[in-house]
Amino acid sequence: KKADFFFQELQADVDNKNAMLKANTAADLANLRDELHEKTKELTESRLTNSRARLQMQNTEEELAHTSKRAEQSDSEVRKLRGRVDELKKELVKTQDECVVFLFRLT
């Protein structure tokens, strides 16, 4: 009789501990699901932010390339104009010399 009572008492303890473990496991599982949901949400937001940053960087790179091309064109144009200014200066000096010679011959 004592053995049966002891066995039933042990069985009740085991059943109680199993019930507590199941309850704890269910709570832990719920917590883990909540954490997973939060982490998934953070990951989605991070991906969206990353995507926006990449798009902005791509637009900035395109704008930079366009600006660089315009700067190169402007530099080329400036070089041409400086060359033309030098030519005009030479022509002016030559024309002034010719005028001086012409005026000197007239006198």
Side-chain angles (χ1 to χ4, degrees):
K1 240 180 180 185
K2 281 185 180 181
D4 286 340
F5 179 74
F6 183 70
F7 179 74
Q8 288 175 355
E9 198 173 287
L10 283 177
Q11 187 64 40
D13 283 346
V14 168
D15 290 342
N16 285 339
K17 287 183 181 178
N18 281 339
M20 287 175 50
L21 283 175
K22 285 182 183 178
N24 287 341
T25 303
D28 289 345
L29 183 60
N31 287 338
L32 289 173
R33 283 183 182 157
D34 289 343
E35 286 181 33
L36 177 62
H37 178 70
E38 287 299 317
K39 295 295 182 184
T40 303
K41 186 177 176 181
E42 288 177 20
L43 178 62
T44 302
E45 290 173 0
S46 294
R47 285 180 177 167
L48 181 60
T49 301
N50 186 16
S51 177
R52 287 179 181 160
R54 282 185 181 190
L55 182 60
Q56 185 177 8
M57 186 175 79
Q58 181 181 4
N59 290 339
T60 303
E61 286 175 347
E62 290 172 2
E63 186 178 329
L64 177 62
H66 178 70
T67 303
S68 295
K69 186 176 180 179
R70 287 185 65 204
E72 289 173 10
Q73 290 173 344
S74 295
D75 286 346
S76 175
E77 202 172 312
V78 165
R79 276 187 246 113
K80 288 178 186 177
L81 289 173
R82 284 182 178 159
R84 181 68 179 136
V85 165
D86 289 342
E87 288 176 19
L88 290 172
K89 284 180 182 178
K90 289 177 185 177
E91 288 179 24
L92 178 62
V93 168
K94 183 180 173 186
T95 304
Q96 286 175 339
D97 289 346
E98 289 174 359
C99 287
V100 168
V101 169
F102 182 74
L103 287 175
F104 184 69
R105 286 185 186 169
L106 285 178
T107 55

